[in-house]
């Protein structure tokens, strides 16, 4: 079963409190989401393999470590996932970015893909699928499935806030996928919003309603 990593660094918890606050406007919300995503990326990439290289410092020749040249891919789920991309790219500027857009079929209630553009070498990349809110888990599970159908193999899911219901769905549908979150909240309400959550992440990010 995939592990759940709760990244509860004090800086992340502080910023999470600010982003949850209903008085936080779109500009600050965007900044906070990117900052938290950057801090989380530090932890999500903790297992990147290192190689030893030889360098010359001004003093002497030395052996030192560098990232092995592993290729990374960031895949935001449209639209709220876009709000995490720039923060991650600040830390990993060479990562490629794929995009996936889903809507819920009003009759079957199944997620349907309406947009998908992935890096061509997706099967060689370590992939981080990002979406701030893991609520029912339906969209995230479908996104992971669509990425796997295109050859994606090493996949992590990174969210800001998760509901226990969403975590359960991902662990059941995709036991190979680890989940990284800043907080696991109490539950979902009748409208599938996370409680206490932060409201609609996409609307707060873009100032829509
Ligand atoms: N999507 C959101 O933006 N917020 C929630 O609480 C649940 C899903």
């Amino acid at each position: 079963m995939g592990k759940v990593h709760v990244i509860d660094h004090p800086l992340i918890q502080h910023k999470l409190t600010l982003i949850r606050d209903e008085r936080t406007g779109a500009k600050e919300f965007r900044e906070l989401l990117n900052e938290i995503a950057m801090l989380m990326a530090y932890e999500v990439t903790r297992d990147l393999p290192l190689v030893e290289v030889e360098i010359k410092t001004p003093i002497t020749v030395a052996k030192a470590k560098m990232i092995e040249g592993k290729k990374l891919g960031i895949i935001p789920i449209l639209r709220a996932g876009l709000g995490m991309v720039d923060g991650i790219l600040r830390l990993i500027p060479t990562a490629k970015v794929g995009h996936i857009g889903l809507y819920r079929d009003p009759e079957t209630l199944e997620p349907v893909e309406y947009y998908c553009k992935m890096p061509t070498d997706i099967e060689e990349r370590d992939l981080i699928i990002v979406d701030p809110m893991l609520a029912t888990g339906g969209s995230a599970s479908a996104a992971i499935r669509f990425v796997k159908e295109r050859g994606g193999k090493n996949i992590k899911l990174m969210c800001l806030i998760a509901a226990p219901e969403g975590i359960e769905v991902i662990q059941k549908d995709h036991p190979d996928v680890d989940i990284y979150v800043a907080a696991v909240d109490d539950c979902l309400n009748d409208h599938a919003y996370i409680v206490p959550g932060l409201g609609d992440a996409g609307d707060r990010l873009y100032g829509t309603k």
Side-chain angles (χ1 to χ4, degrees):
M1 184 190 292
K3 262 183 78 176
V4 180
H5 306 255
V6 181
I7 308 175
D8 57 358
H9 189 286
L11 285 173
I12 294 180
Q13 295 309 305
H14 179 84
K15 289 174 190 293
L16 189 58
T17 301
L18 297 175
I19 208 171
R20 284 183 190 276
D21 193 320
E22 65 175 5
R23 293 170 300 182
T24 299
K27 175 180 179 288
E28 205 187 341
F29 191 95
R30 273 195 296 274
E31 289 166 0
L32 285 164
L33 186 55
N34 272 310
E35 287 169 10
I36 298 171
M38 182 177 71
L39 292 168
M40 290 183 75
Y42 179 80
E43 207 46 49
V44 175
T45 51
R46 181 172 280 285
D47 59 357
L48 282 179
L50 295 168
V51 282
E52 203 168 69
V53 295
E54 196 172 272
I55 52 160
K56 235 172 121 221
T57 74
I59 311 297
T60 184
V61 171
K63 292 203 187 309
K65 299 227 163 66
M66 291 192 86
I67 290 170
E68 203 190 15
K70 201 111 178 105
K71 295 176 169 182
L72 294 175
I74 309 164
I75 304 173
I77 302 176
L78 303 179
R79 79 189 149 138
L82 286 176
M84 300 170 82
V85 174
D86 286 348
I88 304 173
L89 283 176
R90 237 176 273 158
L91 211 59
I92 320 164
T94 56
K96 291 263 166 65
V97 182
H99 293 88
I100 188 153
L102 308 168
Y103 71 91
R104 189 173 289 275
D105 184 300
E107 273 161 27
T108 65
L109 301 180
E110 287 298 314
V112 180
E113 182 189 295
Y114 69 83
Y115 185 80
C116 186
K117 185 94 178 174
M118 292 294 140
T120 47
D121 53 358
I122 186 174
E123 62 289 330
E124 293 168 27
R125 292 186 177 266
D126 282 0
L127 303 169
I128 309 170
I129 297 182
V130 298
D131 197 358
M133 309 301 276
L134 178 60
T136 63
S139 308
S141 178
I144 295 169
R145 176 159 50 88
F146 295 139
V147 168
K148 284 180 174 173
E149 283 168 7
R150 286 174 171 78
K153 288 190 197 85
N154 299 311
I155 301 171
K156 292 174 177 173
L157 176 64
M158 175 173 156
C159 307
L160 202 59
I161 301 176
E165 295 89 329
I167 290 175
E168 204 178 309
V169 166
I170 300 301
Q171 287 184 324
K172 181 172 139 293
D173 294 353
H174 301 286
D176 56 318
V177 173
D178 275 10
I179 305 168
Y180 293 78
V181 291
V184 179
D185 276 8
D186 299 342
C187 57
L188 297 176
N189 69 13
D190 294 343
H191 303 284
Y193 278 97
I194 298 178
V195 181
L198 51 68
D200 188 302
D203 281 346
R204 294 198 60 191
L205 193 51
Y206 297 112
T208 51
K209 196 76 198 103

